[in-house]
Amino acid sequence: MYSFTEENYIKAIFKLQEKSNNAVNTNSIAELMETKPASVTDMVKKLSEKKLLIYEKYKGVELTESGRIMAIEMVRKHRLWETFLHNKLNFSWDEVHDIAEQLEHIKSSKLIDSLDEYLGFPQHDPHGDPIPAKNGSIKRIELFKISEFSIGDFGIISGVVNHTSLFLQHLEKNQLVLGNEIEVVSRSEFDLSLRVKIEGKAPIMVSNEVARNVLLKKIVK
Amino acid sequence: MYSFTEENYIKAIFKLQEKSNNAVNTNSIAELMETKPASVTDMVKKLSEKKLLIYEKYKGVELTESGRIMAIEMVRKHRLWETFLHNKLNFSWDEVHDIAEQLEHIKSSKLIDSLDEYLGFPQHDPHGDPIPAKNGSIKRIELFKISEFSIGDFGIISGVVNHTSLFLQHLEKNQLVLGNEIEVVSRSEFDLSLRVKIEGKAPIMVSNEVARNVLLKKIVK
DNA sequence: ACAAAATTTTAGATTAGTCTAAAATTATTT
DNA sequence: AAATAATTTTAGACTAATCTAAAATTTTGT
Ligand SMILES: [Mn+2]
Ligand SMILES: [Mn+2]
Ligand SMILES: [Mn+2]
Ligand SMILES: [Mn+2]
Protein backbone atom coordinates (compact mmCIF):
# COMPACT_ATOMS: atom_id res chain seq x y z
CA MET A 1 0.00 0.00 0.00
CA TYR A 2 1.37 3.40 -0.97
CA SER A 3 1.16 6.59 1.08
CA PHE A 4 -0.69 9.69 -0.12
CA THR A 5 2.69 11.36 -0.56
CA GLU A 6 4.06 8.58 -2.73
CA GLU A 7 0.90 8.65 -4.83
CA ASN A 8 1.17 12.40 -5.28
CA TYR A 9 4.79 12.16 -6.39
CA ILE A 10 3.95 9.48 -8.96
CA LYS A 11 1.08 11.58 -10.29
CA ALA A 12 3.29 14.68 -10.52
CA ILE A 13 6.07 12.81 -12.31
CA PHE A 14 3.54 11.36 -14.74
CA LYS A 15 2.16 14.81 -15.49
CA LEU A 16 5.64 16.19 -16.15
CA GLN A 17 6.60 13.18 -18.25
CA GLU A 18 3.48 13.69 -20.39
CA LYS A 19 4.59 17.06 -21.67
CA SER A 20 8.36 16.80 -21.83
CA ASN A 21 9.15 13.29 -23.15
CA ASN A 22 12.64 13.49 -21.61
CA ALA A 23 13.55 12.31 -18.14
CA VAL A 24 11.90 14.39 -15.44
CA ASN A 25 14.30 16.51 -13.41
CA THR A 26 14.40 17.08 -9.68
CA ASN A 27 13.67 20.79 -9.71
CA SER A 28 10.52 20.52 -11.80
CA ILE A 29 9.13 17.86 -9.47
CA ALA A 30 9.97 20.05 -6.50
CA GLU A 31 8.19 23.00 -8.07
CA LEU A 32 5.04 21.05 -8.93
CA MET A 33 4.94 19.34 -5.53
CA GLU A 34 5.62 22.65 -3.76
CA THR A 35 8.51 21.12 -1.89
CA LYS A 36 12.33 21.36 -1.91
CA PRO A 37 14.69 19.58 -4.31
CA ALA A 38 16.38 17.83 -1.39
CA SER A 39 13.08 16.26 -0.40
CA VAL A 40 12.49 15.14 -3.97
CA THR A 41 15.85 13.38 -4.10
CA ASP A 42 14.97 11.45 -0.95
CA MET A 43 11.60 10.45 -2.30
CA VAL A 44 12.70 9.40 -5.78
CA LYS A 45 15.29 7.15 -4.18
CA LYS A 46 12.51 5.48 -2.24
CA LEU A 47 10.21 5.18 -5.25
CA SER A 48 13.06 3.77 -7.26
CA GLU A 49 13.60 1.06 -4.64
CA LYS A 50 9.91 0.28 -4.97
CA LYS A 51 10.41 -0.11 -8.75
CA LEU A 52 7.92 2.63 -9.59
CA LEU A 53 10.55 4.63 -11.43
CA ILE A 54 14.10 4.55 -12.72
CA TYR A 55 16.37 7.00 -10.98
CA GLU A 56 19.89 7.81 -12.06
CA LYS A 57 21.81 10.32 -9.97
CA TYR A 58 21.88 13.75 -11.57
CA LYS A 59 19.96 12.40 -14.57
CA GLY A 60 16.35 12.69 -13.45
CA VAL A 61 13.68 9.99 -13.30
CA GLU A 62 11.38 8.03 -15.56
CA LEU A 63 8.35 5.99 -14.50
CA THR A 64 8.50 2.23 -14.92
CA GLU A 65 5.54 0.38 -16.37
CA SER A 66 4.09 -0.17 -12.88
CA GLY A 67 4.67 3.48 -12.04
CA ARG A 68 2.80 4.48 -15.17
CA ILE A 69 -0.07 2.12 -14.39
CA MET A 70 -0.31 3.55 -10.90
CA ALA A 71 -0.28 7.13 -12.23
CA ILE A 72 -3.07 6.40 -14.68
CA GLU A 73 -5.12 4.83 -11.89
CA MET A 74 -4.70 8.03 -9.90
CA VAL A 75 -5.79 10.14 -12.86
CA ARG A 76 -8.79 7.85 -13.38
CA LYS A 77 -9.84 8.19 -9.76
CA HIS A 78 -9.33 11.94 -9.73
CA ARG A 79 -11.40 12.55 -12.83
CA LEU A 80 -14.17 10.14 -11.88
CA TRP A 81 -14.53 11.86 -8.51
CA GLU A 82 -14.58 15.27 -10.23
CA THR A 83 -17.32 13.98 -12.49
CA PHE A 84 -19.29 12.66 -9.53
CA LEU A 85 -19.08 15.99 -7.74
CA HIS A 86 -20.12 17.88 -10.86
CA ASN A 87 -22.79 15.57 -12.29
CA LYS A 88 -24.38 14.25 -9.11
CA LEU A 89 -23.72 16.83 -6.41
CA ASN A 90 -23.93 19.89 -8.66
CA PHE A 91 -20.51 21.29 -7.86
CA SER A 92 -19.31 23.78 -10.46
CA TRP A 93 -16.23 22.95 -12.51
CA ASP A 94 -14.04 25.28 -10.46
CA GLU A 95 -14.95 23.60 -7.17
CA VAL A 96 -14.24 19.97 -7.93
CA HIS A 97 -10.47 19.75 -8.18
CA ASP A 98 -9.47 20.34 -4.57
CA ILE A 99 -11.89 17.79 -3.20
CA ALA A 100 -10.89 15.26 -5.86
CA GLU A 101 -7.30 15.72 -4.72
CA GLN A 102 -8.41 14.16 -1.45
CA LEU A 103 -10.82 11.58 -2.85
CA GLU A 104 -8.31 10.19 -5.36
CA HIS A 105 -6.43 8.57 -2.47
CA ILE A 106 -9.29 6.34 -1.31
CA LYS A 107 -8.15 2.74 -1.70
CA SER A 108 -10.82 0.50 -3.18
CA SER A 109 -10.94 -0.64 -6.76
CA LYS A 110 -14.49 -1.88 -6.25
CA LEU A 111 -15.47 1.62 -5.21
CA ILE A 112 -13.96 3.30 -8.23
CA ASP A 113 -15.37 0.80 -10.68
CA SER A 114 -18.83 1.07 -9.10
CA LEU A 115 -18.58 4.84 -9.30
CA ASP A 116 -17.61 4.60 -12.96
CA GLU A 117 -20.66 2.47 -13.67
CA TYR A 118 -22.92 4.71 -11.55
CA LEU A 119 -21.81 7.71 -13.59
CA GLY A 120 -22.48 5.84 -16.85
CA PHE A 121 -18.83 5.32 -17.82
CA PRO A 122 -18.17 8.99 -18.60
CA GLN A 123 -15.49 9.72 -21.22
CA HIS A 124 -14.55 13.18 -19.93
CA ASP A 125 -14.34 15.01 -16.63
CA PRO A 126 -15.89 18.47 -15.98
CA HIS A 127 -12.83 20.13 -17.53
CA GLY A 128 -13.02 18.06 -20.71
CA ASP A 129 -10.05 15.89 -19.74
CA PRO A 130 -10.32 12.23 -20.80
CA ILE A 131 -11.07 9.66 -18.08
CA PRO A 132 -8.86 6.57 -18.37
CA ALA A 133 -10.84 3.32 -18.66
CA LYS A 134 -10.49 0.49 -16.12
CA ASN A 135 -7.91 -1.14 -18.40
CA GLY A 136 -5.82 2.04 -18.44
CA SER A 137 -6.59 3.13 -21.99
CA ILE A 138 -7.05 6.85 -22.57
CA LYS A 139 -8.99 8.16 -25.54
CA ARG A 140 -7.34 11.34 -26.71
CA ILE A 141 -8.87 13.58 -29.32
CA GLU A 142 -7.09 16.37 -31.12
CA LEU A 143 -7.86 19.77 -29.67
CA PHE A 144 -6.70 23.24 -30.68
CA LYS A 145 -6.34 26.45 -28.72
CA ILE A 146 -8.75 29.19 -29.80
CA SER A 147 -5.64 31.27 -30.49
CA GLU A 148 -4.61 28.76 -33.15
CA PHE A 149 -7.92 29.07 -35.02
CA SER A 150 -8.27 31.08 -38.25
CA ILE A 151 -10.99 33.61 -38.93
CA GLY A 152 -14.18 31.78 -39.87
CA ASP A 153 -13.26 28.53 -38.12
CA PHE A 154 -15.86 26.78 -36.00
CA GLY A 155 -15.21 24.67 -32.93
CA ILE A 156 -16.74 23.20 -29.82
CA ILE A 157 -15.22 24.08 -26.46
CA SER A 158 -13.79 20.76 -25.26
CA GLY A 159 -11.07 21.49 -22.76
CA VAL A 160 -8.91 23.99 -20.92
CA VAL A 161 -5.16 24.40 -20.51
CA ASN A 162 -5.29 26.45 -17.33
CA HIS A 163 -7.25 24.65 -14.59
CA THR A 164 -7.27 27.34 -11.89
CA SER A 165 -10.54 28.29 -10.22
CA LEU A 166 -10.04 31.91 -11.14
CA PHE A 167 -9.76 31.10 -14.84
CA LEU A 168 -12.64 28.63 -14.83
CA GLN A 169 -14.89 31.15 -13.11
CA HIS A 170 -13.90 33.76 -15.69
CA LEU A 171 -14.85 31.40 -18.51
CA GLU A 172 -18.19 30.65 -16.90
CA LYS A 173 -19.02 34.35 -16.66
CA ASN A 174 -18.28 34.69 -20.38
CA GLN A 175 -20.32 31.67 -21.51
CA LEU A 176 -17.10 29.92 -22.50
CA VAL A 177 -18.19 26.59 -21.10
CA LEU A 178 -17.72 23.02 -22.27
CA GLY A 179 -19.91 22.04 -25.21
CA ASN A 180 -20.59 25.54 -26.52
CA GLU A 181 -20.02 26.03 -30.22
CA ILE A 182 -18.05 29.12 -31.20
CA GLU A 183 -16.92 30.83 -34.38
CA VAL A 184 -13.87 33.05 -34.61
CA VAL A 185 -15.05 36.27 -36.27
CA SER A 186 -12.01 38.52 -36.25
CA ARG A 187 -8.58 39.09 -34.70
CA SER A 188 -7.06 42.36 -33.52
CA GLU A 189 -3.53 42.91 -34.81
CA PHE A 190 -2.81 45.07 -31.79
CA ASP A 191 -3.27 42.69 -28.86
CA LEU A 192 -4.21 39.46 -30.65
CA SER A 193 -7.60 39.54 -28.96
CA LEU A 194 -10.41 37.81 -30.85
CA ARG A 195 -14.07 38.43 -31.50
CA VAL A 196 -15.89 35.14 -31.23
CA LYS A 197 -19.51 34.25 -31.65
CA ILE A 198 -21.06 31.73 -29.30
CA GLU A 199 -23.97 30.08 -31.13
CA GLY A 200 -27.15 32.03 -30.61
CA LYS A 201 -25.51 34.75 -28.54
CA ALA A 202 -24.06 38.19 -29.21
CA PRO A 203 -20.35 38.15 -30.20
CA ILE A 204 -17.84 38.72 -27.38
CA MET A 205 -14.23 39.76 -27.11
CA VAL A 206 -11.72 37.14 -25.99
CA SER A 207 -8.24 38.18 -24.86
CA ASN A 208 -5.22 36.34 -26.22
CA GLU A 209 -4.52 35.11 -22.68
CA VAL A 210 -7.93 33.43 -22.62
CA ALA A 211 -7.67 32.25 -26.23
CA ARG A 212 -4.43 30.42 -25.45
CA ASN A 213 -6.09 28.53 -22.60
CA VAL A 214 -9.31 27.26 -24.14
CA LEU A 215 -9.26 24.13 -26.28
CA LEU A 216 -11.59 23.48 -29.20
CA LYS A 217 -12.58 20.47 -31.24
CA LYS A 218 -12.56 21.66 -34.85
CA ILE A 219 -15.80 21.26 -36.78
CA VAL A 220 -16.35 21.60 -40.49
CA LYS A 221 -19.53 23.28 -41.64
CA MET B 1 -6.83 21.09 10.34
CA TYR B 2 -6.61 17.80 12.14
CA SER B 3 -4.74 14.69 11.01
CA PHE B 4 -6.46 11.40 10.24
CA THR B 5 -4.88 10.00 13.38
CA GLU B 6 -6.21 12.76 15.59
CA GLU B 7 -9.66 12.34 14.07
CA ASN B 8 -9.58 8.60 14.71
CA TYR B 9 -8.59 9.10 18.35
CA ILE B 10 -11.43 11.56 18.91
CA LYS B 11 -13.91 9.18 17.31
CA ALA B 12 -12.66 6.27 19.43
CA ILE B 13 -12.82 8.28 22.64
CA PHE B 14 -16.35 9.40 21.78
CA LYS B 15 -17.43 5.82 21.18
CA LEU B 16 -16.01 4.69 24.52
CA GLN B 17 -17.52 7.68 26.32
CA GLU B 18 -20.95 6.80 24.88
CA LYS B 19 -21.15 3.48 26.66
CA SER B 20 -19.29 4.05 29.91
CA ASN B 21 -20.26 7.57 31.12
CA ASN B 22 -17.09 7.71 33.26
CA ALA B 23 -13.78 9.13 32.06
CA VAL B 24 -12.22 7.03 29.31
CA ASN B 25 -9.05 5.23 30.35
CA THR B 26 -5.82 4.84 28.43
CA ASN B 27 -5.93 1.07 28.02
CA SER B 28 -9.38 0.99 26.47
CA ILE B 29 -8.39 3.63 23.92
CA ALA B 30 -5.26 1.65 23.12
CA GLU B 31 -7.29 -1.49 22.62
CA LEU B 32 -9.86 0.15 20.34
CA MET B 33 -7.20 1.99 18.35
CA GLU B 34 -5.08 -1.17 18.12
CA THR B 35 -2.09 0.68 19.46
CA LYS B 36 -0.04 0.75 22.68
CA PRO B 37 -0.95 2.62 25.88
CA ALA B 38 2.27 4.64 25.65
CA SER B 39 1.22 5.98 22.26
CA VAL B 40 -2.19 6.87 23.65
CA THR B 41 -0.66 8.90 26.46
CA ASP B 42 1.37 10.89 23.94
CA MET B 43 -1.66 11.54 21.77
CA VAL B 44 -4.08 12.53 24.53
CA LYS B 45 -1.53 15.07 25.74
CA LYS B 46 -1.53 16.57 22.28
CA LEU B 47 -5.33 16.53 21.97
CA SER B 48 -5.60 18.09 25.40
CA GLU B 49 -3.32 20.96 24.30
CA LYS B 50 -5.65 21.41 21.34
CA LYS B 51 -8.57 21.66 23.77
CA LEU B 52 -10.40 18.69 22.27
CA LEU B 53 -10.38 16.82 25.58
CA ILE B 54 -9.57 17.14 29.26
CA TYR B 55 -6.70 14.97 30.33
CA GLU B 56 -5.66 14.40 33.92
CA LYS B 57 -2.67 12.18 34.52
CA TYR B 58 -3.68 8.69 35.60
CA LYS B 59 -7.36 9.73 35.55
CA GLY B 60 -8.29 9.20 31.92
CA VAL B 61 -9.83 11.66 29.47
CA GLU B 62 -13.13 13.33 28.66
CA LEU B 63 -14.02 15.15 25.45
CA THR B 64 -14.60 18.89 25.63
CA GLU B 65 -17.56 20.43 23.84
CA SER B 66 -15.45 21.02 20.72
CA GLY B 67 -14.13 17.47 20.93
CA ARG B 68 -17.69 16.18 21.08
CA ILE B 69 -18.75 18.31 18.13
CA MET B 70 -15.84 17.03 16.11
CA ALA B 71 -16.63 13.42 17.03
CA ILE B 72 -20.25 13.80 15.96
CA GLU B 73 -19.13 15.32 12.66
CA MET B 74 -16.96 12.27 12.08
CA VAL B 75 -19.85 9.94 12.86
CA ARG B 76 -22.09 11.93 10.53
CA LYS B 77 -19.58 11.68 7.70
CA HIS B 78 -18.97 7.99 8.28
CA ARG B 79 -22.64 7.08 8.24
CA LEU B 80 -23.52 9.28 5.28
CA TRP B 81 -20.74 7.68 3.23
CA GLU B 82 -21.92 4.22 4.28
CA THR B 83 -25.40 5.17 3.14
CA PHE B 84 -24.08 6.45 -0.18
CA LEU B 85 -22.18 3.23 -0.81
CA HIS B 86 -25.21 1.12 0.08
CA ASN B 87 -28.03 3.13 -1.50
CA LYS B 88 -26.33 4.46 -4.60
CA LEU B 89 -23.49 2.08 -5.40
CA ASN B 90 -25.24 -1.11 -4.23
CA PHE B 91 -22.62 -2.16 -1.72
CA SER B 92 -23.92 -4.67 0.82
CA TRP B 93 -24.08 -3.68 4.48
CA ASP B 94 -21.00 -5.72 5.33
CA GLU B 95 -18.85 -3.96 2.69
CA VAL B 96 -19.41 -0.33 3.53
CA HIS B 97 -17.61 0.20 6.83
CA ASP B 98 -13.99 -0.15 5.76
CA ILE B 99 -14.35 2.26 2.85
CA ALA B 100 -16.27 4.74 5.02
CA GLU B 101 -13.33 4.63 7.45
CA GLN B 102 -11.33 6.24 4.67
CA LEU B 103 -14.01 8.54 3.28
CA GLU B 104 -14.89 10.03 6.67
CA HIS B 105 -11.58 11.93 6.62
CA ILE B 106 -12.34 13.96 3.49
CA LYS B 107 -12.34 17.61 4.51
CA SER B 108 -15.21 19.56 2.96
CA SER B 109 -18.39 20.53 4.73
CA LYS B 110 -19.97 21.48 1.43
CA LEU B 111 -19.32 17.95 0.20
CA ILE B 112 -20.90 16.27 3.17
CA ASP B 113 -23.94 18.54 3.19
CA SER B 114 -24.43 18.04 -0.55
CA LEU B 115 -24.16 14.31 -0.06
CA ASP B 116 -26.73 14.46 2.73
CA GLU B 117 -29.13 16.29 0.44
CA TYR B 118 -28.38 13.98 -2.49
CA LEU B 119 -29.25 10.99 -0.32
CA GLY B 120 -32.50 12.65 0.79
CA PHE B 121 -31.40 13.42 4.35
CA PRO B 122 -31.40 9.79 5.51
CA GLN B 123 -32.09 9.15 9.20
CA HIS B 124 -30.23 5.85 9.47
CA ASP B 125 -27.19 4.20 7.92
CA PRO B 126 -27.20 0.66 6.44
CA HIS B 127 -26.72 -0.80 9.93
CA GLY B 128 -29.65 1.09 11.40
CA ASP B 129 -27.45 3.55 13.27
CA PRO B 130 -28.77 7.12 13.42
CA ILE B 131 -27.11 9.73 11.22
CA PRO B 132 -26.43 12.98 13.10
CA ALA B 133 -27.99 16.04 11.44
CA LYS B 134 -25.91 19.00 10.24
CA ASN B 135 -26.59 20.72 13.56
CA GLY B 136 -25.24 17.74 15.49
CA SER B 137 -28.55 16.44 16.81
CA ILE B 138 -28.98 12.68 16.90
CA LYS B 139 -32.43 11.08 16.94
CA ARG B 140 -32.25 8.01 19.12
CA ILE B 141 -35.09 5.52 19.36
CA GLU B 142 -35.40 2.80 21.97
CA LEU B 143 -34.30 -0.59 20.67
CA PHE B 144 -34.23 -4.00 22.35
CA LYS B 145 -32.12 -7.06 21.74
CA ILE B 146 -34.07 -10.05 20.42
CA SER B 147 -32.82 -11.90 23.51
CA GLU B 148 -34.71 -9.43 25.72
CA PHE B 149 -38.03 -10.13 23.96
CA SER B 150 -40.76 -12.30 25.50
CA ILE B 151 -42.58 -15.09 23.70
CA GLY B 152 -45.25 -13.57 21.47
CA ASP B 153 -43.57 -10.17 21.13
CA PHE B 154 -43.34 -8.54 17.71
CA GLY B 155 -40.58 -6.24 16.49
CA ILE B 156 -38.88 -4.76 13.45
CA ILE B 157 -35.18 -5.35 12.95
CA SER B 158 -33.70 -1.88 13.33
CA GLY B 159 -30.07 -2.26 14.30
CA VAL B 160 -27.14 -4.47 15.22
CA VAL B 161 -24.76 -4.54 18.17
CA ASN B 162 -21.98 -6.45 16.43
CA HIS B 163 -20.89 -4.70 13.22
CA THR B 164 -18.39 -7.24 11.89
CA SER B 165 -18.66 -8.40 8.27
CA LEU B 166 -18.88 -12.01 9.36
CA PHE B 167 -21.88 -11.34 11.56
CA LEU B 168 -23.63 -9.14 9.01
CA GLN B 169 -23.18 -11.77 6.31
CA HIS B 170 -24.59 -14.38 8.67
CA LEU B 171 -27.68 -12.24 9.29
CA GLU B 172 -28.19 -11.70 5.57
CA LYS B 173 -28.12 -15.45 4.93
CA ASN B 174 -30.84 -15.89 7.57
CA GLN B 175 -33.12 -13.11 6.33
CA LEU B 176 -32.38 -11.14 9.49
CA VAL B 177 -32.06 -7.86 7.65
CA LEU B 178 -33.09 -4.32 8.53
CA GLY B 179 -36.82 -3.68 8.24
CA ASN B 180 -37.99 -7.27 8.55
CA GLU B 181 -40.77 -7.88 11.07
CA ILE B 182 -40.26 -10.84 13.37
CA GLU B 183 -42.19 -12.61 16.12
CA VAL B 184 -40.54 -14.57 18.91
CA VAL B 185 -42.30 -17.95 18.96
CA SER B 186 -40.47 -19.95 21.63
CA ARG B 187 -37.28 -20.14 23.68
CA SER B 188 -35.19 -23.21 24.47
CA GLU B 189 -34.34 -23.51 28.19
CA PHE B 190 -31.24 -25.48 27.24
CA ASP B 191 -29.21 -22.99 25.15
CA LEU B 192 -31.49 -19.95 25.18
CA SER B 193 -31.91 -20.23 21.42
CA LEU B 194 -35.13 -18.82 20.01
CA ARG B 195 -37.60 -19.79 17.33
CA VAL B 196 -38.62 -16.66 15.47
CA LYS B 197 -41.00 -16.10 12.62
CA ILE B 198 -40.06 -13.61 9.93
CA GLU B 199 -43.29 -12.31 8.41
CA GLY B 200 -44.43 -14.47 5.57
CA LYS B 201 -41.58 -16.96 5.96
CA ALA B 202 -41.06 -20.30 7.70
CA PRO B 203 -39.91 -19.99 11.36
CA ILE B 204 -36.14 -20.18 11.94
CA MET B 205 -33.89 -20.92 14.89
CA VAL B 206 -31.82 -18.03 16.25
CA SER B 207 -28.90 -18.72 18.59
CA ASN B 208 -28.58 -16.68 21.77
CA GLU B 209 -25.34 -15.25 20.39
CA VAL B 210 -27.25 -13.86 17.42
CA ALA B 211 -30.25 -12.82 19.55
CA ARG B 212 -28.01 -10.68 21.75
CA ASN B 213 -26.67 -8.82 18.72
CA VAL B 214 -29.79 -7.91 16.79
CA LEU B 215 -31.83 -4.88 17.85
CA LEU B 216 -35.60 -4.57 17.45
CA LYS B 217 -38.09 -1.76 17.58
CA LYS B 218 -41.01 -3.11 19.60
CA ILE B 219 -44.42 -3.07 17.92
CA VAL B 220 -47.80 -3.64 19.51
CA LYS B 221 -50.33 -5.70 17.57
C1' DA C 1 38.66 24.65 -22.06
C1' DC C 2 37.57 26.51 -17.98
C1' DA C 3 35.26 29.57 -14.90
C1' DA C 4 30.71 30.71 -13.31
C1' DA C 5 26.09 29.40 -12.75
C1' DA C 6 22.61 26.18 -12.14
C1' DT C 7 21.18 21.86 -10.58
C1' DT C 8 21.33 18.02 -7.67
C1' DT C 9 22.81 15.38 -3.79
C1' DT C 10 24.35 14.69 0.93
C1' DA C 11 24.54 15.56 5.84
C1' DG C 12 22.31 16.59 9.73
C1' DA C 13 17.96 18.32 12.10
C1' DT C 14 12.93 18.36 12.91
C1' DT C 15 8.07 16.74 13.53
C1' DA C 16 4.27 13.27 13.90
C1' DG C 17 3.25 9.01 15.31
C1' DT C 18 4.71 4.87 16.89
C1' DC C 19 7.28 1.35 19.79
C1' DT C 20 9.77 -1.14 24.01
C1' DA C 21 11.37 -1.18 28.54
C1' DA C 22 11.53 0.84 32.84
C1' DA C 23 9.58 3.82 36.39
C1' DA C 24 5.62 5.78 38.70
C1' DT C 25 1.06 5.63 40.27
C1' DT C 26 -3.31 3.59 41.43
C1' DA C 27 -6.23 -0.42 42.52
C1' DT C 28 -6.87 -4.88 44.59
C1' DT C 29 -5.87 -8.59 47.88
C1' DT C 30 -4.59 -10.47 51.77
C1' DA D 1 -1.81 -1.44 55.96
C1' DA D 2 1.32 -3.80 53.32
C1' DA D 3 2.16 -6.47 49.41
C1' DT D 4 0.96 -7.51 44.91
C1' DA D 5 -1.13 -6.58 40.59
C1' DA D 6 -2.76 -3.63 37.11
C1' DT D 7 -2.54 0.61 34.86
C1' DT D 8 -0.32 4.58 33.22
C1' DT D 9 3.51 7.49 32.26
C1' DT D 10 8.26 8.51 31.00
C1' DA D 11 12.53 7.90 28.56
C1' DG D 12 14.68 6.87 24.61
C1' DA D 13 14.59 4.99 19.94
C1' DC D 14 12.62 4.43 15.19
C1' DT D 15 10.39 5.64 10.50
C1' DA D 16 8.39 8.78 7.03
C1' DA D 17 8.55 13.08 5.20
C1' DT D 18 10.29 17.30 5.40
C1' DC D 19 13.80 21.24 5.83
C1' DT D 20 18.47 24.11 5.57
C1' DA D 21 23.13 24.46 4.49
C1' DA D 22 27.00 22.66 2.37
C1' DA D 23 29.20 19.69 -1.06
C1' DA D 24 29.17 17.51 -5.56
C1' DT D 25 28.08 17.42 -10.29
C1' DT D 26 26.44 19.10 -14.62
C1' DT D 27 25.46 22.83 -17.76
C1' DT D 28 26.39 27.24 -19.78
C1' DG D 29 28.98 31.08 -21.44
C1' DT D 30 33.04 33.02 -22.88
MN1 LIG E 1 -8.39 18.19 -11.23
MN1 LIG F 1 -10.26 17.68 -14.20
MN1 LIG G 1 -19.22 1.80 10.15
MN1 LIG H 1 -22.76 1.99 10.17
Side-chain angles (χ1 to χ4, degrees):
Chain A
M1 200 83 337
Y2 300 104
S3 71
F4 284 23
T5 309
E6 290 172 321
E7 290 184 339
N8 284 334
Y9 268 93
I10 291 297
K11 205 170 48 127
I13 293 164
F14 177 74
K15 192 179 274 181
L16 292 167
Q17 210 167 248
E18 286 294 89
K19 62 176 76 166
S20 70
N21 298 316
N22 336 350
V24 177
N25 50 307
T26 305
N27 267 359
S28 55
I29 300 171
E31 192 186 3
L32 188 56
M33 293 288 298
E34 297 182 76
T35 183
K36 303 293 167 183
S39 310
V40 172
T41 300
D42 282 347
M43 180 55 78
V44 297
K45 278 180 184 168
K46 198 172 116 190
L47 296 175
S48 139
E49 271 162 33
K50 296 193 179 185
K51 311 280 184 204
L52 292 170
L53 50 78
I54 306 292
Y55 166 58
E56 229 187 314
K57 252 193 194 182
Y58 293 104
K59 304 288 179 193
V61 301
E62 214 166 332
L63 292 183
T64 60
E65 184 56 17
S66 37
R68 223 182 64 90
I69 289 170
M70 175 169 160
I72 290 171
E73 269 169 24
M74 298 306 301
V75 170
R76 171 170 157 81
K77 289 185 185 185
H78 183 98
R79 294 181 181 166
L80 280 172
W81 279 117
E82 284 190 342
T83 304
F84 169 72
L85 294 172
H86 185 70
N87 293 6
K88 300 293 185 181
L89 301 191
N90 299 118
F91 279 66
S92 60
W93 70 344
D94 58 287
E95 291 175 316
V96 299
H97 177 81
D98 290 349
I99 302 176
E101 281 293 308
Q102 298 180 61
L103 286 162
E104 71 189 8
H105 298 290
I106 302 296
K107 270 100 176 166
S108 167
S109 50
K110 173 161 183 180
L111 170 58
I112 207 65
D113 294 336
S114 301
L115 191 64
D116 194 14
E117 185 185 348
Y118 184 59
L119 297 172
F121 304 104
Q123 297 295 305
H124 300 279
D125 81 3
H127 311 107
D129 294 312
I131 298 174
K134 187 175 161 57
N135 67 16
S137 68
I138 306 177
K139 260 194 200 136
R140 296 174 199 280
I141 51 172
E142 206 186 6
L143 300 179
F144 303 89
K145 299 173 178 170
I146 303 186
S147 55
E148 296 166 345
F149 262 42
S150 305
I151 308 307
D153 282 354
F154 287 83
I156 292 175
I157 301 180
S158 306
V160 290
V161 179
N162 181 332
H163 282 66
T164 64
S165 292
L166 198 63
F167 180 61
L168 297 173
Q169 283 165 18
H170 175 78
L171 292 186
E172 190 123 359
K173 280 195 208 95
N174 290 277
Q175 312 264 19
L176 295 166
V177 296
L178 244 50
N180 273 359
E181 182 186 317
I182 72 170
E183 177 193 357
V184 175
V185 176
S186 68
R187 170 180 279 112
S188 155
E189 292 301 328
F190 173 61
D191 63 0
L192 300 180
S193 69
L194 301 169
R195 276 193 89 67
V196 307
K197 227 178 138 233
I198 300 168
E199 58 172 345
K201 284 158 190 143
I204 59 165
M205 197 278 284
V206 168
S207 72
N208 178 255
E209 180 63 20
V210 166
R212 280 186 289 110
N213 281 290
V214 175
L215 299 170
L216 302 175
K217 184 164 59 188
K218 211 164 244 174
I219 50 178
V220 276
K221 287 250 166 171
Chain B
M1 199 83 342
Y2 299 103
S3 71
F4 284 23
T5 309
E6 289 171 323
E7 290 184 339
N8 285 333
Y9 268 94
I10 292 297
K11 204 170 50 128
I13 293 163
F14 177 74
K15 191 179 274 183
L16 292 166
Q17 209 167 249
E18 286 294 89
K19 62 176 76 168
S20 72
N21 297 316
N22 337 350
V24 177
N25 51 307
T26 305
N27 267 358
S28 55
I29 299 171
E31 192 186 3
L32 188 56
M33 292 289 297
E34 298 182 76
T35 182
K36 303 292 167 184
S39 310
V40 172
T41 300
D42 283 347
M43 181 54 78
V44 298
K45 278 181 183 167
K46 197 172 116 189
L47 295 174
S48 139
E49 271 163 32
K50 296 193 178 184
K51 310 278 185 208
L52 292 170
L53 50 79
I54 307 292
Y55 166 60
E56 228 188 316
K57 253 193 194 181
Y58 294 103
K59 303 287 179 194
V61 301
E62 215 166 331
L63 292 181
T64 60
E65 184 56 16
S66 36
R68 223 182 64 88
I69 288 170
M70 176 169 159
I72 290 171
E73 269 168 24
M74 298 306 300
V75 170
R76 171 170 156 81
K77 287 185 186 184
H78 183 98
R79 293 182 181 165
L80 280 172
W81 279 117
E82 285 189 342
T83 304
F84 168 72
L85 294 172
H86 185 69
N87 294 6
K88 300 293 186 182
L89 301 192
N90 298 119
F91 278 66
S92 60
W93 69 345
D94 58 288
E95 292 174 316
V96 299
H97 177 80
D98 290 349
I99 302 177
E101 282 293 307
Q102 298 181 59
L103 286 162
E104 70 190 8
H105 298 291
I106 303 295
K107 270 100 176 167
S108 166
S109 50
K110 172 160 185 184
L111 170 59
I112 207 66
D113 294 336
S114 300
L115 190 64
D116 194 13
E117 184 184 350
Y118 183 60
L119 297 171
F121 303 104
Q123 297 295 305
H124 301 280
D125 80 4
H127 311 107
D129 294 313
I131 298 174
K134 187 175 161 60
N135 67 17
S137 68
I138 306 177
K139 258 192 201 139
R140 294 172 200 282
I141 52 171
E142 205 185 7
L143 300 180
F144 304 89
K145 297 173 180 170
I146 302 185
S147 56
E148 295 166 346
F149 263 42
S150 305
I151 309 305
D153 283 355
F154 288 84
I156 292 175
I157 301 180
S158 306
V160 291
V161 179
N162 181 332
H163 281 66
T164 64
S165 293
L166 198 62
F167 179 62
L168 297 173
Q169 283 165 17
H170 175 79
L171 292 185
E172 190 123 359
K173 280 194 208 96
N174 291 275
Q175 311 263 20
L176 294 166
V177 296
L178 244 51
N180 273 0
E181 182 185 317
I182 73 169
E183 177 192 357
V184 175
V185 176
S186 68
R187 170 180 280 113
S188 156
E189 293 300 330
F190 172 62
D191 63 0
L192 301 177
S193 67
L194 300 169
R195 276 192 88 69
V196 308
K197 229 179 135 231
I198 301 169
E199 61 172 345
K201 282 156 193 144
I204 59 166
M205 198 278 284
V206 168
S207 71
N208 178 254
E209 180 63 21
V210 166
R212 282 185 288 111
N213 281 289
V214 175
L215 299 170
L216 302 173
K217 184 165 59 189
K218 213 164 242 172
I219 50 177
V220 276
K221 287 250 163 166

